[in-house]
Amino acid sequence: MSPYLFTRYIQDMICIVTRSNVGCISDGQIINLLAYADDFVVIAPSWRALQRLLSIIHSEVMTLDMTCNTKKTVCMVFRPARKERIVSSEFPLFKIGDTSIQYVDHFKYRGHFITNDMSDDKDIQRELQNMFIRTNVLIRRFHKCC
């Protein structure tokens, strides 16, 4: 029930961000915020657009008398498949209030690894490792059953 109640509490902020007309367009819809309880993924097509969305979120969070946990907040720039589309290899740091956000090339979100090269190798490797661990536990527990 807690995620539902929290989402109701911040619903006005979510509406303001989603109605800002800043974000990526997919199938005619603007997508800029994915939210589950207190986990947010902010999506934007450019540095300026993302900083605008972060400023809106910061302003609304301050209105709600809340804070953003900037220690757990990271930024990822996805590399385009075609290298000629790379505009720049370095971007200015994003800010939430006065705090800068670090760039990462991978992070774990809701139990899955997300990488900037859109590869799922890291996630598959983790799942394989977990499968081997669980298999070894079963073998140890039931080694006498033949």
Side-chain angles (χ1 to χ4, degrees):
M1 183 103 179
S2 181
Y4 176 78
L5 293 174
F6 184 78
T7 303
R8 291 289 156 223
Y9 182 70
I10 61 167
Q11 186 173 13
D12 290 342
M13 180 194 76
I14 291 172
C15 288
I16 289 169
V17 172
T18 57
R19 291 180 186 155
S20 68
N21 290 328
V22 177
C24 295
I25 298 174
S26 176
D27 198 26
Q29 296 286 319
I30 294 177
I31 299 171
N32 57 12
L33 182 67
L34 305 175
Y36 179 79
D38 63 344
D39 282 337
F40 296 142
V41 175
V42 183
I43 303 168
S46 68
W47 184 91
R48 184 175 299 230
L50 185 56
Q51 184 59 62
R52 174 74 180 124
L53 290 171
L54 292 174
S55 297
I56 292 169
I57 290 170
H58 177 69
S59 172
E60 292 304 311
V61 163
M62 298 302 287
T63 301
L64 293 170
D65 197 26
M66 296 175 65
T67 59
C68 293
N69 186 348
T70 53
K71 292 178 183 166
K72 290 173 55 178
T73 304
V74 295
C75 177
M76 180 184 294
V77 175
F78 289 94
R79 295 184 219 149
R82 294 181 15 205
K83 294 192 186 253
E84 66 271 8
R85 290 191 174 188
I86 294 175
V87 177
S88 175
S89 59
E90 292 187 28
F91 297 94
L93 292 175
F94 290 99
K95 292 192 175 278
I96 296 179
D98 294 330
T99 307
S100 297
I101 301 172
Q102 70 172 340
Y103 285 95
V104 295
D105 58 358
H106 71 278
F107 70 98
K108 194 173 181 180
Y109 180 72
R110 311 247 357 112
H112 296 281
F113 282 101
I114 314 251
T115 60
N116 65 352
D117 62 359
M118 306 241 255
S119 165
D120 57 0
D121 292 348
K122 195 171 190 91
D123 210 30
I124 290 171
Q125 186 62 38
R126 181 183 57 85
E127 287 299 325
L128 281 172
Q129 186 176 6
N130 287 337
M131 182 187 69
F132 288 132
I133 291 169
R134 288 189 297 270
T135 302
N136 285 331
V137 167
L138 286 172
I139 289 170
R140 253 184 287 139
R141 284 190 183 161
F142 299 104
H143 73 280
K144 293 184 180 181
C145 297
C146 292

